[in-house]
């Protein structure tokens, strides 16, 4: 699908896309899937159905009492209200998508879901503030124009010239005279997109095109307006985007760029110094390098923002970004799996569209002001935060870095009404000294994930009245839950209504062997109330699992077969949840070798491989330990020295800092003579985690990562007490 092949006729091809829009014929995916295949009843039919159902609803309480389901009955009104909201949300998104599918391919409304939603908001709410970042404010009209400039800069790199202010002449010449030759596709990403590299497409003065259509451009940028304009511009140009975590350097960075098949990298000027050792390898990969801003850049790195500012801000044709299939990959978001290095999760056009409904499901409105201080390279920041804001046409206050001391002043200054969190942010806030700014604010709703029950109670008691809406989901997953009742400590509901719209199950899981428990017929067994179980969701045309860029082996273990009947396939979330007798879901733990810290998943195998690169270490066992007052589990590494070496803490700290992102760096070290293993020679992670890091109970030498000192220091009883008191920051 080269740039010049994207123009489609107004007849047969477009009508087929209408029939396939959002998978209505074959089904959608994830949270908004099954309800889209239902026919919307007329008002008269709905009234008749309500009258017929009324007697049954009156008898329902007696039936449920007889079946001992009274604990769940009390939540039936909330379950019904959310189900209706979810169906309304699906219907609204369905209508938007059908309108886009029927739009003129030359217009921006005929493009991908991001393109037509931005164009729609720029038309409907041109002066309404979309983005606040520091002292800068951007309306929806300005966001549309800025992203159009970025799109034209990327299209020029593709060899396309849309003319000074319009699209007709440029698009026409591209369609007639510069048709892209089919290529082998993006091998690393598994894409079938046609490549135009080497076809002699003109770029400006006749130079060869820098990029090929349909390939991937990686962004290594902090959260800010430029991140958004470049992301939106890439989407409008029909290019894939890869969000690279900003802390990655050296091997993990190169791995991520290779795995998603990136052909270009846009990096922040402030990252150039730390990236200098990586530049030869990046050039060796054949990447085109851009800097997102002015400065003294190394040879071969140009200022992309200068190129963007030189472009006009007119709209680009929608056919340039309109996908062949709504399930085509348009974005890669990196997630740490249980097998080591980060994996590039495929994000489809459909998932982008689904995330437009996130805040509507949460009860957020277009006049709300949303505070977002999460990294944009995460799904929670980019897809739920930014795309969710686009879905309702609200305002987002974007922070490049979270500041607990500045938070309530920001909320007062900008009239914030909704706060999107991860659990750690709430803990930072409740640990702050009292301030005048935390009173009289307008925040009414906190939406997020990973909030511990103890922090939850302190947060609401101190900063309320406000509602906390805890959610659960995975970047690559096909299931999500929302605690729409606000029940403290729960991540969602397992009511029959919710599971009818968004199906999932909890199955028994053996943590010792790392496999689901099966009955004599080979099928999995559903859990009972109060019993931890593995969360799984059915995979089908209505709810597919798109997997990761690269080979199928990367998804190994993510799919379970013959779960409840022969031939069925379920997505394995890798998480253990508990459903209580009232139908509330509560997070229990992560399976395998993965734990969560600072809102990030940490793969122990990846951390161990970094440690094992040091010549003075012979064996390493990495696991997570619970730290009082902290969400998740902190990393701890048990080390065995290689004779005759000694432990070099300075070299170890330098090596870890250079090769692991901050959240993955172990907070504790334990020096041992030999590692404890099972009878099958597997490392004893569970027992080691239970033993913890108390120097009064362990005879092994222990060390703690002192962030202020920038070193691993002996974990003495004094430091241990300071850690428990919150005086030693880890």
């Amino acid at each position: 699908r080269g740039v010049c092949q994207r123009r489609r006729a107004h007849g047969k091809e477009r009508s087929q896309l209408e029939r396939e829009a959002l998978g209505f014929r074959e089904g959608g995916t994830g949270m908004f899937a099954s309800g889209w295949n239902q026919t919307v009843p007329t008002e008269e039919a709905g009234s008749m159905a309500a009258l017929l159902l009324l007697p049954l609803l009156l008898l329902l309480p007696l039936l449920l009492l007889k079946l001992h389901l009274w604990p769940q009955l009390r939540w039936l009104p909330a379950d019904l209200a959310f189900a209706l909201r979810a169906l309304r949300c699906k219907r609204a998104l369905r209508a938007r998508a059908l309108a886009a599918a029927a739009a003129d391919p030359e217009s921006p409304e005929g493009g991908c879901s991001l393109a037509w939603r931005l164009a729609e908001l720029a038309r409907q709410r041109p002066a309404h503030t979309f983005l606040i970042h520091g002292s800068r404010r951007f309306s929806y009209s300005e966001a549309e124009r800025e992203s159009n400039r970025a799109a034209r800069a990327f299209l020029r790199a593709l060899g396309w010239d849309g003319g000074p202010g319009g699209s007709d002449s440029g698009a026409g010449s591209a369609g007639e005279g510069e048709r892209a030759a089919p290529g082998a596709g993006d091998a690393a990403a598994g894409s079938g997109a046609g490549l135009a590299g080497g076809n002699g497409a003109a770029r400006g003065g006749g130079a060869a095109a820098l990029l090929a259509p349909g390939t991937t451009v990686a962004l290594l940028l902090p959260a800010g307006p430029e991140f958004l304009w470049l992301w939106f511009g890439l989407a409008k140009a029909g290019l894939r985007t890869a969000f690279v975590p900003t802390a990655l350097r050296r091997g993990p960075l190169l791995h991520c760029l290779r795995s998603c098949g990136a052909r270009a990298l846009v990096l922040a000027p402030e990252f150039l110094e730390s990236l200098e050792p990586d530049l030869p390898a990046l050039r060796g990969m054949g990447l085109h390098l851009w800097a997102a801003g002015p400065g003294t850049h190394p040879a071969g790195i140009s200022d992309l923002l200068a190129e963007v500012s030189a472009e006009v801000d007119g709209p680009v044709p929608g056919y340039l970004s309109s996908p062949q299939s709504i399930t085509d990959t348009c974005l890669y978001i990196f997630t740490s799996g249980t097998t080591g290095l980060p994996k590039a999760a495929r994000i489809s056009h459909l998932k982008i569209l689904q995330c437009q409904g996130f805040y509507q499901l949460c009860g957020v409105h277009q006049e709300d002001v949303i505070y977002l201080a999460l990294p944009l390279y995460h799904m929670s920041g980019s897809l739920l935060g930014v795309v969710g804001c686009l879905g309702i046409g609200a305002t987002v206050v974007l922070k490049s870095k979270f500041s607990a001391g500045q938070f309530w002043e920001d909320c007062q200054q900008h009239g914030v009404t909704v706060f999107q969190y991860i659990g750690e942010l709430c803990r930072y806030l409740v640990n702050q000294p009292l301030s005048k700014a935390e009173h009289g604010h307008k925040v009414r709703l906190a939406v997020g994930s990973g909030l511990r029950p103890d922090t939850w109670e302190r947060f609401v008691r101190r900063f309320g009245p406000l509602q906390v809406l805890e959610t659960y989901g995975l970047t690559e997953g096909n299931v999500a839950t929302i605690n729409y009742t606000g029940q403290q400590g729960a991540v969602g509901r397992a009511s029959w209504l919710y599971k009818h719209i968004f199906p999932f199950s909890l199955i028994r899981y053996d943590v010792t062997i790392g496999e689901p428990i099966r009955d004599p017929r080979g099928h999995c067994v559903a859990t009972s109330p109060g019993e931890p179980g593995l969360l799984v969701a059915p995979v089908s045309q209505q709810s597919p699992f798109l997997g990761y860029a690269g080979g199928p082996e990367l998804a190994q273990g993510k799919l379970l077969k013959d779960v409840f009947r022969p031939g069925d396939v379920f997505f394995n979330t890798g998480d253990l949840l508990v459903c209580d007798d009232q139908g509330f879901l509560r997070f229990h733990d992560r399976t395998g070798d993965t734990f969560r810290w600072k809102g990030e998943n940490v793969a122990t195998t990846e951390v161990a491989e970094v440690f094992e690169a040091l010549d003075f270490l012979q064996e390493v066992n990495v696991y997570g330990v619970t730290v009082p007052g902290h969400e998740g589990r902190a990393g701890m590494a048990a080390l065995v020295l290689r004779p005759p070496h000694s432990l070099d803490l300075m070299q170890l700290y330098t090596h870890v800092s250079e090769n692991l992102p901050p959240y993955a760096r172990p907070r504790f070290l334990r020096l041992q003579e030999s590692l404890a293993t099972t009878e099958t020679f597997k490392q004893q992670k569970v027992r080691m985690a239970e033993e913890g890091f108390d120097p009064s109970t362990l005879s092994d030498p222990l060390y703690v990562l002192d962030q202020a000192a920038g070193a691993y220091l002996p974990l003495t009883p004094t430091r241990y007490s300071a850690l428990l008191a919150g005086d030693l920051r880890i």
Side-chain angles (χ1 to χ4, degrees), residues 2 17 58 60 69 83 123 180 193 220 279 391 421 436 449 497 520 558 581 593-595 645 727:
L17 183 59
L58 293 175
L60 186 61
L69 293 178
R123 184 181 70 254
L220 186 62
L279 291 180
Y421 68 83
K436 294 181 180 179
S449 59
L497 269 173
K558 284 295 183 182
D581 59 356
D593 296 338
T594 300
F595 58 90
H645 294 278
D727 297 327

Side-chain angles (χ1 to χ4, degrees), residues 422-431 449-456 458 587 595-600 624-635 663 665 667-668 693 704-705 707 719-730:
I422 58 171
E424 283 290 294
L425 302 189
C426 297
R427 186 177 66 84
Y428 295 153
L429 289 173
V430 297
N431 288 336
S449 59
L451 183 58
R452 286 167 54 101
D454 57 340
T455 304
W456 189 327
R458 294 170 60 199
F587 184 84
F595 58 90
R596 197 164 182 83
W597 177 252
K598 301 292 185 181
E600 301 274 359
V625 292
T626 301
V627 182
H630 290 72
E631 278 79 18
R633 288 185 286 165
Y663 64 83
R665 299 166 190 167
R667 268 46 185 180
F668 304 99
F693 51 91
V704 62
L705 176 60
Q707 304 253 36
R719 288 196 176 99
Y720 181 79
S721 300
L723 173 61
L724 297 184
D727 297 327
L728 178 61
R729 186 172 67 91
I730 62 168

Side-chain angles (χ1 to χ4, degrees), residues 126-138:
H128 187 79
T129 300
F130 161 54
L131 177 67
I132 299 173
H133 184 260
S135 61
R136 296 191 290 172
R137 304 172 73 95
F138 300 89

Side-chain angles (χ1 to χ4, degrees), residues 474-507:
L474 297 173
T475 302
E476 71 274 41
N478 66 345
V479 60
T481 64
I482 297 180
N483 179 10
Y484 46 83
T485 66
Q487 180 78 355
Q488 194 171 113
V491 300
R493 294 274 295 151
S495 69
W496 64 271
L497 269 173
Y498 192 97
K499 294 175 73 172
H500 176 72
I501 302 174
F502 312 127
F504 66 86
S505 299
L506 294 181
I507 59 175

